Each structure stands twice: as structure tokens, then as C-alpha cells.
């Protein structure tokens, strides 16, 4: 759907007319799923989402929509626990896209849980990862005002957000801890991290991983079938 509202609706409208289709996996982003979900539900076509985390999708019940990715509360709790218990920083600064509900609501959930656990949130002005003119140097200057502040990246799959997140990770080096959502679980992040002195302070979340699968037999069978490991979206679907 090219991450476009009109395209997402057009794909959904086309798919529900094809009676041989029993179910659809998608859409890739939360925003596109929100735009298309009711088309599937109204036409009684099952939609399975392995990537849409926004709370908007659970505000009203839908009989034909199923989600396999953890909700924001679980992701935020994992980030909070990791920073408080393992990484050490008791301060955090958030980078997200305020106009994209999936990223802003996750940041709000993390901020609430982090404070409840005794952590402090450090407010910055340069936080919008979706800005075309995002100023990486200014963002890091703001963060450096206080010591041991973790950078929390709740990224979208919008190209500018991914590009800015990669630039932020690269410029940060290995000074501050960086924890990021599934938006940075990608080959681009590995390529960026390979340029750092170390990426021991870089953590991203994944709802499933072949090395930590509850059923290792499934992971092995998938590896044999596809000639390599499958990602969490494929596995959970």
C-alpha cells in the first residue's frame, strides 16, 4: 500500500471482493491498518496483523480482526525493566513522531511506567523523528546536559523517521544507551551499528526471535523451508 491511506483502502476494497481469499496478513504499519480494518470487518474477511501496535485498533471490538504483536503496555514494560534493572540509566529522553499515534502513545505509556518505577523523564525540544530537518546535533546537545540519559526511539516506518533514527544512533556512538521499537529492527540498524565503536548499549525489541523461540522445532522447520531465519512478523502470522 506504499504507506498511503488511499492505497491501503484501495487494496482492502479489492481483496474483499475476491471470494477465494480466506484471510489477509497486513497491513504493515498501524496507520494503514487503522484506515483499512473496517473494510475487512464489514465484509467478513479475516485480517491478521503482525505489526500494528496502536491502541486505536482495540477501542472497539471487531470480529474479523486479529493481532499477534504485543500491545504498547508490554513493550513499554520491557523497555522500562531493561533500563532500570539491566542498563542502569534512571533518566530517559524520548524521540518519536507526535502526529503518528502508534509512536506517540507508546512513548506516553513508557513515560508513565518509567516514572512509576522511579525513573526521570528528560524533556527536549528536538524530539520529532518525522521532521525533514531534524537536527541530530541539537538533540544530542540537549541530552548531554544531564548524565546517563537513555534515548528511547519509538520510531515509525516513515522514511524520514527511519533516516533520522539511524543518524541519531550513529552520532550518539556508544555514549548513551539507546532502546528502540520494532521500527529499528532492521538491516539498516545493523549497518549503522557496524560503524560504531561498540553497540553494547543499543537494544531493540522483537516480539519473536529464532534464537529465543518457545518452540525451537518451528524455528528450525521455518529455516529449512525458507533457506534462512524468518522474522517475527512471518513467525507470528
Amino acid at each position: 500500500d506504499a504507506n498511503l491511506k488511499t492505497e491501503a483502502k484501495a487494496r482492502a476494497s479489492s481483496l474483499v471482493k475476491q471470494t477465494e481469499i480466506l484471510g489477509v496478513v497486513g497491513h504493515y504499519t498501524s496507520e494503514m491498518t487503522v484506515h483499512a480494518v473496517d473494510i475487512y470487518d464489514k465484509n467478513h474477511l479475516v485480517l491478521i496483523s503482525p505489526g500494528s501496535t496502536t491502541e486505536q485498533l482495540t477501542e472497539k471490538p471487531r470480529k474479523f480482526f486479529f493481532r499477534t504483536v504485543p500491545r504498547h503496555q508490554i513493550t513499554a514494560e520491557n523497555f522500562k525493566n531493561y533500563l532500570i534493572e539491566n542498563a542502569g540509566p534512571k533518566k530517559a529522553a524520548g524521540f518519536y513522531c507526535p502526529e503518528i499515534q502508534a509512536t506517540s502513545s507508546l512513548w506516553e505509556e513508557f513515560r508513565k511506567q518509567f516514572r512509576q518505577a522511579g525513573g526521570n523523564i528528560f524533556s527536549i525540544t528536538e524530539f520529532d523523528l518525522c521532521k525533514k530537518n531534524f537536527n541530530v546535533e541539537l538533540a544530542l546537545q540537549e541530552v548531554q546536559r544531564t548524565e546517563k540519559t537513555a534515548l528511547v526511539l519509538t520510531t515509525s516506518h516513515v522514511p524520514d523517521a527511519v533516516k533520522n533514527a539511524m543518524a541519531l544512533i550513529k552520532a550518539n556512538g556508544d555514549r548513551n544507551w539507546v532502546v528502540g521499537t520494532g521500527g529499528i529492527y532492521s538491516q539498516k540498524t545493523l549497518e549503522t551499528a557496524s560503524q560504531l565503536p561498540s553497540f553494547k548499549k543499543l537494544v531493540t525489541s522483537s516480539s519473536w526471535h529464532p534464537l529465543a523461540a518457545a518452540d525451537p522445532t518451528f524455528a528450525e522447520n521455518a529455516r529449512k523451508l525458507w533457506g534462512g531465519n524468518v522474522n517475527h512478523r512471518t513467525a507470528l502470522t
Side-chain angles (χ1 to χ4, degrees):
D1 58 32
N3 209 38
L4 296 172
K5 175 181 177 180
T6 54
E7 290 298 317
K9 288 187 172 184
R11 297 292 183 273
S13 297
S14 173
L15 290 169
V16 298
K17 295 175 183 177
Q18 301 178 52
T19 56
E20 69 274 21
I21 295 177
L22 302 179
V24 174
V25 179
H27 286 235
Y28 186 46
T29 67
S30 292
E31 294 74 33
M32 296 307 105
T33 307
V34 168
H35 292 315
V37 63
D38 287 325
I39 297 175
Y40 296 100
D41 205 59
K42 179 181 177 181
N43 289 276
H44 297 182
L45 179 60
V46 170
L47 179 67
I48 298 175
S49 174
S52 302
T53 57
T54 178
E55 301 303 317
Q56 284 180 275
L57 291 166
T58 55
E59 289 175 354
K60 69 176 184 179
R62 295 179 175 91
K63 292 184 178 180
F64 295 87
F65 173 72
F66 301 91
R67 177 161 59 185
T68 62
V69 69
R71 297 176 65 189
H72 284 163
Q73 289 93 332
I74 297 174
T75 303
E77 183 179 8
N78 286 334
F79 282 168
K80 177 259 297 182
N81 289 342
Y82 192 89
L83 288 176
I84 295 286
E85 298 171 9
N86 300 309
K90 298 297 189 293
K91 298 178 182 178
F95 296 86
Y96 58 99
C97 299
E99 295 183 1
I100 296 181
Q101 202 267 350
T103 72
S104 59
S105 62
L106 176 54
W107 167 245
E108 289 301 321
E109 180 63 30
F110 169 82
R111 183 164 64 174
K112 179 182 72 174
Q113 292 193 27
F114 195 66
R115 282 175 169 165
Q116 290 174 346
N120 294 316
I121 298 297
F122 184 60
S123 297
I124 56 176
T125 59
E126 192 67 10
F127 63 88
D128 187 352
L129 286 175
C130 283
K131 283 174 56 178
K132 291 187 179 298
N133 59 343
F134 178 77
N135 191 324
V136 174
E137 292 184 2
L138 175 59
L140 289 177
Q141 285 173 8
E142 291 187 280
V143 170
Q144 294 306 322
R145 293 176 189 169
T146 181
E147 295 181 352
K148 296 183 179 180
T149 298
L151 313 183
V152 180
L153 311 183
T154 60
T155 56
S156 164
H157 294 284
V158 174
D160 283 328
V162 175
K163 180 187 70 175
N164 291 331
M166 294 304 105
L168 192 60
I169 291 171
K170 185 176 181 180
N172 176 68
D174 57 356
R175 288 177 295 179
N176 298 74
W177 278 89
V178 177
V179 294
T181 58
I184 66 166
Y185 186 83
S186 69
Q187 184 66 29
K188 290 181 180 179
T189 303
L190 286 177
E191 292 169 358
T192 300
S194 68
Q195 304 173 44
L196 305 179
S198 158
F199 53 94
K200 292 180 180 179
K201 292 183 178 180
L202 175 61
V203 179
T204 182
S205 66
S206 178
S207 23
W208 182 90
H209 195 281
L211 296 180
D215 181 4
T217 303
F218 168 81
E220 180 59 28
N221 288 341
R223 189 179 300 114
K224 290 177 180 177
L225 177 64
W226 298 108
N229 291 323
V230 297
N231 65 26
H232 61 284
R233 293 182 181 87
T234 301
L236 292 179
T237 301

